[in-house]
């Protein structure tokens, strides 16, 4: 990792840790009647860190949804925490950066919200991002059991957001 990039990410880490705990905010999400998560604000620490990293709403990259099921077809996701991995750079977050978030499988499509990024050779930084694919490609297969989602693909787009809707 180039020295300036490492220093930049290190500065973001200091910014995030000085603003308070960078723990995920997933535990306070209200659920809709179909089991999907309701609206949620992006924490101010995450917005500040994303501005510092020059990540803007709509910035996108490809992500392996589950770091334990890379290139698998199909994959099974479970309600709860998830560790994903960037396949290509997202701003200064380089490929292989780990994204940590939460999965909800209650509705017809999987919902994944990311709250932290862990770049290689650096500390975790707070972010707000979602897994997103058009054409219903995050739709669960019919044989998915409650609390799980079987998906046809292991990859998705990941998009930076300023709030979760």
């Amino acid at each position: 990792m180039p020295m300036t990039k490492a220093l930049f990410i290190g500065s973001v880490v200091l910014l995030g840790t000085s603003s308070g705990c960078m723990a995920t905010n997933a535990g306070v999400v209200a659920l809709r009647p179909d089991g999907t998560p309701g609206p949620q604000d992006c924490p101010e620490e995450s917005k500040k860190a994303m501005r510092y990293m020059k990540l803007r709403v709509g910035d996108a990259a490809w992500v392996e949804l589950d770091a334990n099921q890379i290139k698998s077809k199909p994959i099974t996701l479970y309600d709860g925490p998830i560790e994903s991995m960037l396949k290509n750079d997202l701003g200064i977050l380089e490929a292989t950066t780990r994204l940590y978030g939460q999965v909800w499988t209650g509705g017809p499509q999987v919902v994944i919200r990311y709250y932290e990024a862990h770049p290689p050779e650096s500390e975790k930084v707070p972010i707000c991002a979602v897994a997103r694919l058009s054409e219903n490609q995050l739709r669960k297969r019919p044989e998915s059991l409650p609390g799980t989602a079987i998906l046809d693909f292991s990859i998705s787009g990941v998009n930076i957001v300023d709030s979760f809707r």
Side-chain angles (χ1 to χ4, degrees):
M1 174 185 300
M3 181 58 99
T4 55
K5 196 174 196 181
L7 290 173
F8 188 69
I9 291 175
S11 298
V12 171
V13 169
L14 287 174
L15 176 71
T17 56
S18 68
S19 299
C21 181
M22 293 190 328
T24 67
N25 205 15
V28 297
V29 178
L31 296 181
R32 295 180 173 109
D34 70 353
T36 59
Q40 180 185 21
D41 290 331
C42 183
E44 198 53 46
E45 305 88 54
S46 300
K47 290 179 184 179
K48 189 182 291 185
M50 291 187 306
R51 279 192 303 270
Y52 197 74
M53 292 187 291
K54 298 186 187 316
L55 291 173
R56 293 176 175 75
V57 172
D59 286 352
W62 290 106
V63 66
E64 283 284 352
L65 289 171
D66 185 340
N68 294 311
Q69 299 182 69
I70 292 174
K71 296 184 181 178
S72 297
K73 290 182 184 179
I75 66 167
T76 302
L77 300 180
Y78 300 90
D79 283 328
I82 191 165
E83 177 185 1
S84 301
M85 186 178 73
L86 285 178
K87 290 181 62 72
N88 56 309
D89 295 351
L90 177 59
I92 66 165
L93 298 174
E94 60 190 281
T96 73
T97 292
R98 301 301 173 130
L99 301 180
Y100 297 97
Q102 187 78 19
V103 176
W104 290 268
T105 64
Q109 296 196 94
V110 173
V111 175
I112 303 173
R113 294 177 177 177
Y114 296 107
Y115 302 100
E116 291 181 328
H118 190 180
E121 302 176 35
S122 187
E123 299 297 318
K124 291 180 182 176
V125 293
I127 63 166
C128 291
V130 295
R132 186 176 287 158
L133 277 178
S134 61
E135 300 178 9
N136 291 319
Q137 291 186 24
L138 287 179
R139 184 169 295 279
K140 300 181 327 189
R141 287 174 49 168
E143 64 268 26
S144 300
L145 298 173
T148 68
I150 300 172
L151 301 177
D152 290 327
F153 305 100
S154 68
I155 63 169
S156 174
V158 61
N159 294 78
I160 297 296
V161 297
D162 60 1
S163 67
F164 301 102
R165 295 173 178 84

